[in-house]
Amino acid sequence: MTQLSTDIIIIGGGVAGLWIHHRLNDLGYHAVLIEKHSIGNGQTLSSQGIIHGGTKYTLNGILTGAASAIADMPQRWLDCLAGSGEIDLSQTKLLTQHQLMWSTQSVSSKLTSFLSSKALNGKMQSLSKKSYPDIFNTAAFKGNLYQLNEPVLDIPSLLKNLTEKWQHRIICTNEDYQFIETTNCLINGVISDTFEIQAKKVILSSGEGNEESLQKLNIDSPKMQRRPLQMVLMKSIKLPRLYAHCIGASTKPIATITSHTHSDGDNVWYIGGNIAEEGIDQTSESLIKHTRFTLQKILPWLDTSDAEWTTHCVNRAEPAQKNLLRPDTAFLADAKNIAIAWPTKLALTPNLADQLIHTLKEQSIMPSSNDGSRRDSELEKINQQHPVVFSPSLWDRAFDAKS
Ligand SMILES: Cc1cc2nc3c(=O)[nH]c(=O)nc-3n(C[C@H](O)[C@H](O)[C@H](O)COP(=O)(O)OP(=O)(O)OC[C@H]3O[C@@H](n4cnc5c(N)ncnc54)[C@H](O)[C@@H]3O)c2cc1C
């Protein structure tokens, strides 16, 4: 058994754990991340990669908490992508700088005037016909088209980029491990058959996995909620690239579409929004039928005759809210020397890391003096047995599994 002492243990290799791991190691902490399956395996590789700036959450005309907390995030991520932010994400692929938003013809005039109102100034611009992307460059399109300051990221490249610099401090293991509890009921490490790691602080950032850990640790609060989604995927070589929310009369998008590349070169549309929220109780076949019908209404000129279809069920894991509402901000709580974290949106991860760094300072948990290389050589022994493994992209999993 290899024994090691570190500053911080981070549980979970989704975007939250990886971002926190990167930032803490950059700040001089010795932080070790433990992932149970493979990097990105949870919600992160199921996400659409949109760095929301809040526009979607202002559709009812009210600037909600979600909209104001998230407003700074696009610029923060763009700085990172440019190599000038708190993490160098220059190797992460930017799929588009701007998500679009289009309205169907039947949209209410109230919503149309709101969309053009000052509340969204600077975050959203109405597009003139001459700057329409090809897919909307048809006489058949009668709605309005807006451009949002919301970039969309390629998540597999983000995960590689976040992992690379401090990969030697990441362990991927499917071996069972237990938390180590001190006599005064605080948690100060983890132990398995092959390793024991002690730390000043443990961070639970394992998405849906947080619930099981909290139960094992007899921590009653915070509680977790799951918001289930059934996303729709459509694959075809002929599909144009589209990154857009389609809005109708409701405050929620009818569909949110992002475009991705399968390893065989085909384009894949990944469709969320209301389709995915309302589709949870449908069979995959009936949701695909419903989505085909919806696309015919909102993009009637689009030819999908040769497309392959599938659906993907996944839960959003979040701190429990009244009536399963969507939480507004990144979430961090503390119990038994454990920090419990849910970013609630990938876009809010930088905000989550800020909160955590602030908490560590408040609790006087500082980086220890320079024995990082001694610790790293111990860690290397664990690493050799439990090397870093990346999950394949969702598009490859979804369609390869079908054929
Ligand atoms: C369909 C969908 C679309 C989304 N689209 C967007 C979007 O466009 N923009 C946006 O901002 N947000 C989006 N989100 C939300 C976003 O994906 C999540 O908020 C974010 O990915 C959560 O990251 P996480 O690291 O907390 O959790 P996860 O990504 O779920 O990662 C948790 C990790 O912990 C591991 N794990 C679990 N249990 C244990 C354990 N006991 N020990 C060790 N490891 C463990 C898992 O294997 C997993 O790798 C979307 C979510 C969904 C479901």
Side-chain angles (χ1 to χ4, degrees):
M1 148 139 15
T2 308
Q3 287 179 315
L4 175 77
S5 117
T6 183
D7 292 331
I8 314 279
I9 294 172
I10 297 160
I11 307 287
V15 68
L18 290 169
W19 189 284
I20 289 168
H21 180 252
H22 200 302
R23 285 223 56 202
L24 292 183
N25 280 302
D26 276 356
L27 288 172
Y29 288 93
H30 191 273
V32 177
L33 185 148
I34 303 174
E35 162 58 46
K36 198 170 151 189
H37 302 281
S38 47
I39 299 293
N41 152 82
Q43 298 156 86
T44 302
L45 275 172
S46 292
S47 94
Q48 293 193 281
I50 304 167
I51 305 302
H52 305 284
T55 317
K56 194 174 99 171
Y57 309 110
T58 57
L59 289 182
N60 55 5
I62 304 163
L63 206 65
T64 60
S68 51
I70 212 166
D72 298 339
M73 290 302 127
Q75 192 52 50
R76 231 166 130 183
W77 281 85
L78 287 173
D79 290 345
C80 292
L81 291 171
S84 55
E86 66 254 50
I87 294 185
D88 179 354
L89 292 183
S90 50
Q91 299 308 307
T92 301
K93 213 165 132 194
L94 178 65
L95 294 176
T96 178
Q97 184 105 13
H98 302 287
Q99 177 84 352
L100 301 175
M101 183 182 271
W102 91 94
S103 58
T104 58
Q105 228 179 328
S106 56
V107 73
S108 75
S109 59
K110 193 171 148 227
L111 188 57
T112 307
S113 57
F114 171 70
L115 290 174
S116 334
S117 79
K118 286 193 196 112
L120 297 172
N121 257 357
K123 301 215 180 308
M124 176 167 151
Q125 298 85 38
S126 174
L127 280 184
S128 65
K129 281 216 161 53
K130 63 177 186 320
S131 22
Y132 279 9
D134 285 351
I135 183 168
F136 292 106
N137 232 330
T138 156
F141 176 54
K142 304 273 192 257
N144 296 306
L145 189 60
Y146 304 89
Q147 177 177 282
L148 313 184
N149 290 345
E150 299 190 348
V152 183
L153 306 184
D154 172 62
I155 298 301
S157 68
L158 168 68
L159 290 168
K160 289 237 160 70
N161 202 164
L162 277 175
T163 303
E164 201 173 22
K165 183 170 173 190
W166 298 104
Q167 181 156 338
H168 55 289
R169 294 186 181 169
I170 299 178
I171 300 166
C172 284
T173 177
N174 49 20
E175 193 173 283
D176 268 348
Y177 63 83
Q178 306 299 322
F179 292 99
I180 306 169
E181 204 158 334
T182 63
T183 43
N184 49 355
C185 294
L186 298 178
I187 304 305
N188 71 345
V190 295
I191 183 162
S192 79
D193 286 346
T194 57
F195 59 82
E196 177 178 342
I197 309 178
Q198 304 251 354
K200 297 178 193 164
K201 185 97 192 164
V202 176
I203 297 161
L204 284 188
S205 53
S206 54
E208 221 171 337
N210 281 359
E211 186 177 63
E212 196 188 329
S213 300
L214 291 173
Q215 275 163 5
K216 276 192 191 160
L217 290 161
N218 289 321
I219 297 175
D220 295 336
S221 173
K223 294 215 181 309
M224 193 189 90
Q225 72 180 26
R226 289 181 175 79
R227 275 195 303 125
L229 296 169
Q230 185 166 193
M231 305 288 285
V232 180
L233 294 97
M234 175 174 52
K235 174 176 179 284
S236 161
I237 187 80
K238 285 201 246 152
L239 278 177
R241 308 286 286 185
L242 177 63
Y243 305 90
H245 307 285
C246 173
I247 48 165
S250 145
T251 57
K252 283 189 185 162
I254 298 172
T256 293
I257 300 168
T258 49
S259 304
H260 310 270
T261 311
H262 191 271
S263 54
D264 68 7
D266 278 9
N267 283 332
V268 176
W269 276 17
Y270 190 37
I271 308 173
N274 237 14
I275 284 183
E277 285 186 29
E278 291 183 354
I280 52 169
D281 295 326
Q282 295 185 40
T283 61
S284 176
E285 291 71 26
S286 75
L287 183 58
I288 288 170
K289 201 168 155 198
H290 168 71
T291 308
R292 277 175 180 274
F293 178 74
T294 305
L295 284 182
Q296 271 193 337
K297 280 206 302 194
I298 63 177
L299 292 169
W301 57 91
L302 183 77
D303 177 10
T304 61
S305 52
D306 73 339
E308 282 177 69
W309 296 79
T310 190
T311 62
H312 171 62
C313 292
V314 57
N315 293 322
R316 280 185 183 253
E318 303 166 333
Q321 309 288 301
K322 271 192 190 149
N323 305 325
L324 271 185
L325 286 173
R326 179 198 294 127
D328 279 349
T329 53
F331 178 90
L332 189 73
D334 215 86
K336 292 190 173 182
N337 196 36
I338 290 207
I340 302 117
W342 285 287
T344 75
K345 278 171 205 70
L346 178 138
L348 281 165
T349 310
N351 177 260
L352 177 68
D354 290 349
Q355 290 185 45
L356 178 78
I357 290 163
H358 179 75
T359 303
L360 291 178
K361 283 193 183 139
E362 271 189 345
Q363 297 177 346
S364 304
I365 299 174
M366 303 311 246
S368 15
S369 52
N370 310 329
D371 57 352
S373 42
R374 187 187 54 76
R375 290 167 163 190
D376 283 346
S377 58
E378 286 305 300
L379 191 52
E380 205 182 322
K381 295 180 199 156
I382 307 177
N383 237 226
Q384 277 166 0
Q385 278 180 287
H386 307 286
V388 168
V389 182
F390 288 92
S391 292
S393 76
L394 176 65
W395 345 118
D396 284 0
R397 273 184 281 154
F399 287 101
D400 290 346
K402 264 191 83 199
S403 55

